[in-house]
Amino acid sequence: MRVTLLGTGDTTGTPTVGCDCDTCETARERGIERTRFSVHVENERTGESLLIDFSPDFRTQFLRDGVSLPDAAIVTHIHFDHLDGLGNVFRVFDALDLYAANETDPKTGNSVAETVREDYHYLEMLEVHPTTPLEPVEICGFDVTLVPVDHPPLICYGVAIEDPETGAKLSLSGDTSYDIPDPSRTVLADPDLLLADAIVPAHLCEYHPMGGRHENNDGVPRTFGTKHMTREGALDLADELNAEQTRLVHLAHYYPADEAFEEPLAVDGEQYDL
């Protein structure tokens, strides 16, 4: 299993357009990018590949990193930075299988699968497969499970991907607070690589209108506001899941420049062989 981090940034990416903060300036000076979130997973046994989420930066990411076009894809939720790149499949793909959860979202009245099918009805090459969370499905030779996480007000899912022959396992927290349900944690546990949402360091919670939540025993917030984990929350989750290796993703440019590029914060283009 070869994992390529195509996009490791949050909704605006780093550098952010029109921003001259120290972090964005440092990223420009170093030639570092954190584009909007997307992950490419190649099954070298079968010659197939799977894409997690459609970044608005789809074209740039695939041209830059030279990975193969996917045979199948997953959409974790319908926020634009995870979905709006789907239009890039037009006149690029002859066919694409797309998997998304079949649970109805009380906020929208549709499941993720239904929203994708309705919003991208014009993509005739797209075959949408409504998928039941917490039930594994075989995709590209992998056992893949969508797991409910906590990203109000919309429903959102993490993903566990396991190679049934080699035992290699990749877990993605998805966009989530620290309050991931126990059944989902069980599915995500014991990965060789965990990609965990860590939008900002915990000390920035003082600037969020809702502050921080889910404090650890030392009073450090593990959730920034309501939607995303802090760096500290993501690292606590990694310990609890017994992750062999962890990379922090969905990172905002609000990280101070002297913290923004430290381990284990990811940048675009990283590759891992599991």
Side-chain angles (χ1 to χ4, degrees), residues 4 13 17-18 22 36 56 62 75 93 99 161 163 174 208 213 248 264:
T4 303
V17 173
D22 289 345
R36 274 71 68 88
F62 275 80
V75 171
F93 291 79
Y99 296 79
I161 303 171
D163 188 322
H208 194 288
R213 302 168 62 208
L248 304 185

Side-chain angles (χ1 to χ4, degrees), residues 129-199:
H129 300 271
T131 304
T132 301
L134 298 174
E135 292 186 9
V137 60
E138 183 180 345
I139 310 174
C140 297
F142 296 127
D143 293 332
V144 179
T145 308
L146 295 176
V147 298
V149 292
D150 180 52
H151 190 54
L154 298 177
I155 56 174
C156 184
Y157 302 88
V159 187
I161 303 171
E162 190 164 2
D163 188 322
E165 293 198 15
T166 68
K169 183 175 180 179
L170 168 69
S171 291
L172 300 90
S173 75
D175 283 18
T176 185
S177 79
Y178 179 76
D179 193 24
I180 297 173
D182 287 341
S184 298
R185 288 174 181 253
T186 298
V187 174
L188 295 172
D190 300 314
D192 297 292
L193 176 63
L194 171 67
L195 304 179
D197 172 15
I199 194 163

Side-chain angles (χ1 to χ4, degrees), residues 70-85:
D71 299 281
I74 293 169
V75 171
T76 61
H77 66 297
I78 62 170
H79 278 153
F80 95 98
D81 52 324
H82 295 257
L83 176 60
D84 279 17

Side-chain angles (χ1 to χ4, degrees), residues 90-119:
F90 184 68
R91 296 199 306 191
V92 174
F93 291 79
D94 294 324
L96 182 66
D97 291 311
L98 188 147
Y99 296 79
N102 61 5
E103 293 181 316
T104 299
D105 189 333
K107 182 71 174 178
T108 66
N110 284 334
S111 68
V112 176
E114 288 169 333
T115 296
V116 171
R117 183 179 285 139
E118 291 178 9
D119 288 0

